[in-house]
């Protein structure tokens, strides 16, 4: 009205314009309804919610929730689609028209958020919205009364400020990635993919677990076979670890799978909380609630053309359609309104047409136009007590009228209605949709969704591939470790110093009458003499071998001397004593190397720095260390070692 007055005063518009020809906006419509409510406690529940909600119960529940606040409130609940009432513009316009201080709230189903604005009252709405979004409280299935109650609970919570704090971890890109990738696994989001995503993860874990269990078993069996082929049947290093690894993998995988299945079976799916009204009957009025139907029928009883205040068009946009409704042989009733899934007709104009006929109990042509914002109009018609010359022609002028306005669609339909004549007692057949609506639509169970996604592919493809990658990475890491240990380089000197110090401490604490004390003393003296010079890498290897052998001699359970003097692993003497000579390889091997293949043994062969540069396998050096097998096939004397040209 203010805009109209401004135009008239400024001369920008015609002074003779009729105010009633201007269609009120949705904000003006709801502001008028708010004016009829108690001051400062306005609850407007639009009858477009009559399909899923009992309007009186919903209003009572909303009032109970917002009465807990100590500020005035103005609440609008409607299922009118987003193009008409959603967004901050609707609430901003509503509070401008109401003009009173307080909390303004808009509730709409399938929106997963409460829209709220405050006017001249201090309320932490920003913090509330942040908390509700961060805690994923609402989904598109959350009932409106639950949303309102939770919103008020959060608004009045004593720990609101603490919950609204943005933690440093919330701003990390990885946090957003993890949430987008795995957030559905909580099953508390509105995404229908939750059970399917959980099924994919469970299948992948199960496939990985079984494959890893089998592969670890195969590795363990292969190592034993190679060791037996090399002539060794004793315990292998790492064999127990592989056995425990298989048990651990199986236990963890089973725990994850069981946890997933328990989570799936006990979680409350968001769509299971969806508000649904009673099942519509299969006979007239074909809707479970006639609240809105009765209101529209009352209007049509007065005028054969009804245009809802929330429709996109107004009567002035229909170019005299109302004047044409009196020139037919049968009465014609037209209702133009926005529809939605939550209304009593389930968003189907034909359902509403049948319901209007039942409530009005009149013969004629009932036309309903769904004029939902931002969508093409949908036109449906039903004939009662009438028959058409061309019944199939009705199909050409009904349905979605793409690229046509409501006015154009109605003109085409009324041209067809010109061929309709009275036929008292004529009734259309009960439409199929009446039977369909009486039976709830089939919805797959959570278990069907769990197995219907990528479960099979994850179980038989992604899982085994993951297991192969994990085992391959572990094998590569072990091979890299073996190669690094084969070229110890600078790590030899500190290791040699440490080994000699440990041997000296063992000698100092050993009994004087210990059988191996004399031999240990000679080996320690030799090691110290070599260290005192300028040892190269092979010398340092020999020092380590001597020091460790001396400690074995000084050990209380050292046993007989011949066991202490057993030959060393020819692959790498730092591996320790050999356990069995392999018939194929022809040399002594430690328990670790005996389980390896020929290629792996070559990779693990100790390589030391050569005098001329580069590296060579330790066994190719013609020095006392090698020719005496580091003292196991002949005595090592410090003088002999120091005279070698490699030591200066």
């Amino acid at each position: 009205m203010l805009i109209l007055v401004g135009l008239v005063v400024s001369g920008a518009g015609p002074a003779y314009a009729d105010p009633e020809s201007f269609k009120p906006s949705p904000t003006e419509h709801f502001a008028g309804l708010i004016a009829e409510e108690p001051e400062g406690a306005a609850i407007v529940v639009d009858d477009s919610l009559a399909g899923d909600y009992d309007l009186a119960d919903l209003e009572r529940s909303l009032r109970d929730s917002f009465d807990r606040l100590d500020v005035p409130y103005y609440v609008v609940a409607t299922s009118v689609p987003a193009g008409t009432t959603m967004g901050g513009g609707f609430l901003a316009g509503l509070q401008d028209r109401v003009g009173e201080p307080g909390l303004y709230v808009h509730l709409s189903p399938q929106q997963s958020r409460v829209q709220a604005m405050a006017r001249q009252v201090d309320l932490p709405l920003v913090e509330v919205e942040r908390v509700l979004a961060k805690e994923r409280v609402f989904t598109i299935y959350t009932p409106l009364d639950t949303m309102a109650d939770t919103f008020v609970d959060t608004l009045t919570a004593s720990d609101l400020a603490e919950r609204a704090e943005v933690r440093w971890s919330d701003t990390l890109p990885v946090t957003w990635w993890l949430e987008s990738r795995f957030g559905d696994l909580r099953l508390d989001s509105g995404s229908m993919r939750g059970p399917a995503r959980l099924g994919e993860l469970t299948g992948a874990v199960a496939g990985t677990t079984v494959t890893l269990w089998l592969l670890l078993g195969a590795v363990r069996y292969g190592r034993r076979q190679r060791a037996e082929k090399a002539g060794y049947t004793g315990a292998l290093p790492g064999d127990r670890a592989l056995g425990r690894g298989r048990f651990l993998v199986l236990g963890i995988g089973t725990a994850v799978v069981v946890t997933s299945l328990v989570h799936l079976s006990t979680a409350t799916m968001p769509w299971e909380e969806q508000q649904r009204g009673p099942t519509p009957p299969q006979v007239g009025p074909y809707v479970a609630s006639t609240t809105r139907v009765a209101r529209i029928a009352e209007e049509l009883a007065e005028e054969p053309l009804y245009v809802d205040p929330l429709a996109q068009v107004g009567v002035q946009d229909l170019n005299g359609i109302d004047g044409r409704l009196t020139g037919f042989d049968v009465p014609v009733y037209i209702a133009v309104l926005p529809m939605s899934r939550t209304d009593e007709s389930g968003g189907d104009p034909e359902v509403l047409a049948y319901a209007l006929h039942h409530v009005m109990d009149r013969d004629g042509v009932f036309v309903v136009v769904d004029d939902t914002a931002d969508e093409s109009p949908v036109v449906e018609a039903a004939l009662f007590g009438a028959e058409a010359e061309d019944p199939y022609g009705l199909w050409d002028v009904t349905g979605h009228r793409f690229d046509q306005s409501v006015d154009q669609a109605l003109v085409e339909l009324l041209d067809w209605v010109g061929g309709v004549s009275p036929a008292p007692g004529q009734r259309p057949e009960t439409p199929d949709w009446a039977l369909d609506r009486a039976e709830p639509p089939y919805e797959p169970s959570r278990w069907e969704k769990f197995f219907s996604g990528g479960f099979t592919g994850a179980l038989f493809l992604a899982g085994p591939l993951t297991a192969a990658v994990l085992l391959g990475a572990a094998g590569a890491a072990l091979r890299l470790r073996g190669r690094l240990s084969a070229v110890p380089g600078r790590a030899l000197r500190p290791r040699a110093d440490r080994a000699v110090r440990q041997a000296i401490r063992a000698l100092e604490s050993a009994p004087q009458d210990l059988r191996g004390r004399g031999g240990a003393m000679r080996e320690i003296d030799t090691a110290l003499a070599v260290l005192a010079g300028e040892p190269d890498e092979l010398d340092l290897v020999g020092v380590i071998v001597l020091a460790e052998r001396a400690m074995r001699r000084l050990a209380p359970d050292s046993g007989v001397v011949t066991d202490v003097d057993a030959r060393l692993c020819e692959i790498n003497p730092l591996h320790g004593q050999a356990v069995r000579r392999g018939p194929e390889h022809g040399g002594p091997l430690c328990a670790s190397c005996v389980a390896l293949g020929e290629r792996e043994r070559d990779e693990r062969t100790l390589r030391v720095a050569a005098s001329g540069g580069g590296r060579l396998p330790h066994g190719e050096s013609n020095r006392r260390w090698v020719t005496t097998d580091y003292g196991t096939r002949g005595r090592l004397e410090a003088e002999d070692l120091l005279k070698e040209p490699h030591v200066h």
Side-chain angles (χ1 to χ4, degrees):
M1 292 298 294
L2 292 177
I3 296 176
L4 177 61
V5 171
L7 291 174
V8 172
V9 172
S10 64
Y16 53 82
D18 180 6
E20 294 185 358
S21 67
F22 287 86
K23 181 183 180 298
S25 67
T27 53
E28 290 172 326
H29 170 72
F30 285 113
L33 296 178
I34 285 175
E36 301 173 4
E37 294 290 309
E39 184 177 355
I43 300 289
V44 175
V45 177
D46 189 53
D47 56 13
S48 61
L49 295 167
D52 286 343
Y53 293 88
D54 181 284
L55 303 183
D57 288 346
L58 178 58
E59 179 180 352
R60 187 162 43 251
S61 177
L62 296 180
R63 192 173 300 281
D64 290 343
S65 296
F66 287 98
D67 275 345
R68 294 190 281 128
L69 300 174
D70 57 358
V71 298
Y73 58 82
Y74 306 91
V75 180
V76 174
T78 175
S79 70
V80 174
T84 304
T85 60
M86 283 300 291
F90 170 71
L91 278 182
L94 185 65
Q95 67 178 358
D96 285 345
R97 284 169 173 78
V98 175
E100 297 293 335
L103 174 66
Y104 289 78
V105 177
H106 174 235
L107 295 169
S108 184
Q110 299 183 328
Q111 296 301 324
S112 73
R113 65 185 294 255
V114 175
Q115 294 190 73
M117 285 187 177
R119 179 185 177 93
Q120 299 176 11
V121 293
D122 186 18
L123 292 173
L125 296 182
V126 175
E127 290 80 357
V128 170
E129 184 168 5
R130 183 183 304 150
V131 168
L132 294 177
K134 184 167 63 172
E135 297 179 359
R136 300 168 63 95
V137 176
F138 300 141
T139 71
I140 61 174
Y141 306 102
T142 306
L144 297 184
D145 49 353
T146 302
M147 293 177 71
D149 203 45
T150 305
F151 175 80
V152 174
D153 285 343
T154 308
L155 188 60
T156 57
S158 58
D159 61 344
L160 175 61
E162 180 182 350
R163 292 161 61 190
E165 270 185 41
V166 179
R167 299 179 179 86
W168 66 269
S169 58
D170 296 335
T171 61
L172 295 176
V174 67
T175 302
W176 295 98
W177 181 85
L178 289 173
E179 179 62 29
S180 63
R181 191 76 179 92
F182 301 105
D184 291 342
L185 298 180
R186 293 195 301 263
L187 305 182
D188 60 355
S189 70
S191 173
M192 300 290 287
R193 287 280 300 163
R197 294 291 294 274
L198 183 63
E200 292 173 7
L201 176 64
T202 306
V205 170
T208 302
T209 298
V210 173
T211 306
L212 268 180
W213 185 80
L214 293 174
L215 290 177
L216 289 175
V219 169
R220 189 182 187 192
Y221 176 78
R223 294 177 79 246
R224 288 178 174 178
Q225 288 293 104
R226 286 191 294 271
E228 290 178 4
K229 189 176 181 181
Y232 178 70
T233 57
L236 293 174
D239 197 62
R240 182 176 297 179
L242 285 171
R244 290 177 177 176
R246 296 184 75 201
F247 176 79
L248 186 63
V249 165
L250 190 61
I252 293 176
T254 302
V256 172
V257 171
V258 170
T259 301
S260 298
L261 297 179
V262 171
H263 177 47
L264 178 68
S265 61
T266 58
T268 300
M269 301 299 173
W271 49 87
E272 294 174 347
E273 295 183 328
Q274 183 175 5
Q275 177 69 30
R276 293 186 181 275
T279 302
Q282 297 184 14
V283 296
Y286 304 108
V287 294
S289 171
T290 58
T291 303
R292 185 173 69 159
V293 177
R295 176 176 63 82
I296 298 173
E298 185 178 352
E299 297 285 347
L300 290 176
E302 299 293 331
E303 295 289 341
L305 175 64
Y306 168 75
V307 179
D308 193 86
L310 298 179
Q312 292 188 95
V313 300
V315 176
Q316 73 280 359
D317 300 314
L318 298 183
N319 298 323
I321 291 294
D322 54 339
R324 291 189 57 184
L325 300 183
T326 58
F328 298 105
D329 295 335
V330 294
V332 180
Y333 304 97
I334 300 177
V336 181
L337 70 163
M339 304 186 72
S340 72
R341 187 207 61 78
T342 60
D343 64 32
E344 75 292 312
S345 307
D348 189 333
E350 190 176 7
V351 175
L352 184 57
Y354 275 73
L356 286 171
H357 163 259
H358 179 85
V359 172
M360 294 179 67
D361 195 24
R362 297 183 182 182
D363 286 344
V365 179
F366 287 80
V367 181
V368 176
V369 180
D370 178 5
D371 185 33
T372 299
D374 300 328
E375 297 182 12
S376 60
V378 182
V379 181
E380 295 293 348
L383 278 61
F384 299 92
E387 60 182 4
E389 295 178 0
D390 179 19
Y392 299 106
L394 183 60
W395 296 350
D396 297 330
V397 293
T398 56
H400 283 273
R401 309 303 292 155
F402 299 104
D403 300 324
Q404 281 191 323
S405 65
V406 175
D407 176 54
Q408 294 169 333
L410 286 178
V411 167
E412 284 191 8
L413 185 135
L414 291 179
D415 289 342
W416 177 86
V417 171
V420 175
S421 58
Q426 184 74 21
R427 293 290 183 272
E429 296 181 0
T430 301
D432 293 337
W433 49 254
L435 303 177
D436 295 339
R437 294 183 79 227
E439 298 180 3
Y442 172 76
E443 294 184 359
S445 68
R446 63 181 69 193
W447 294 101
E448 288 177 288
K449 294 175 182 177
F450 180 82
F451 291 108
S452 64
F455 179 84
T456 303
L459 179 63
F460 294 108
L461 183 61
L465 285 177
T466 301
V469 169
L470 290 175
L471 197 60
L478 290 175
R479 285 193 297 273
L480 178 60
R481 179 185 174 187
R483 290 182 179 181
L484 292 177
S485 66
V487 189
R490 294 182 180 180
L492 284 172
R493 181 67 199 215
R495 180 175 175 180
D497 291 339
R498 187 166 53 251
V500 170
R501 286 195 300 270
Q502 291 173 349
I504 292 173
R505 286 195 295 269
L507 180 64
E508 292 173 347
S509 60
Q512 293 294 325
D513 58 348
L514 185 66
R515 181 179 180 184
R517 183 180 177 85
M521 186 177 299
R522 287 193 303 272
E523 289 166 339
I524 293 174
D525 288 341
T526 302
L528 286 171
V530 174
L531 277 181
E534 295 181 7
D536 63 5
E537 290 187 2
L538 186 60
D539 291 321
L540 294 173
V541 171
V543 168
I544 296 170
V545 170
L546 290 178
E548 291 180 348
R549 184 183 299 145
M551 283 188 287
R552 287 198 297 273
R553 294 186 192 279
L554 297 170
D557 56 348
S558 59
V560 295
V561 176
T562 53
D563 291 335
V564 176
D565 290 328
R567 295 189 65 183
L568 302 173
C569 177
E570 73 169 11
I571 300 298
N572 189 337
L574 297 178
H575 289 173
Q577 294 177 302
V579 293
R580 187 61 56 91
R581 178 185 295 273
E584 290 188 359
H585 190 276
L589 298 173
C590 67
S592 177
C593 290
V594 79
L596 299 177
E598 194 69 31
R599 179 180 176 183
E600 292 173 301
R601 292 173 188 169
D602 290 340
E603 291 176 351
R604 296 185 65 181
T605 299
L606 177 66
R607 288 171 171 80
V608 294
S611 59
R615 291 186 174 275
L616 77 162
H618 75 102
E620 296 181 9
S621 177
N622 187 25
R623 295 174 60 184
R624 289 286 295 170
W625 292 113
V626 177
T627 57
T628 62
D629 196 14
Y630 299 89
T632 62
R633 293 191 298 172
R635 176 175 294 188
L636 286 171
E637 298 293 344
E639 292 80 2
D640 297 334
L641 296 172
L642 292 172
K643 289 178 183 179
E644 288 187 322
H646 297 83
V647 180
H648 304 284

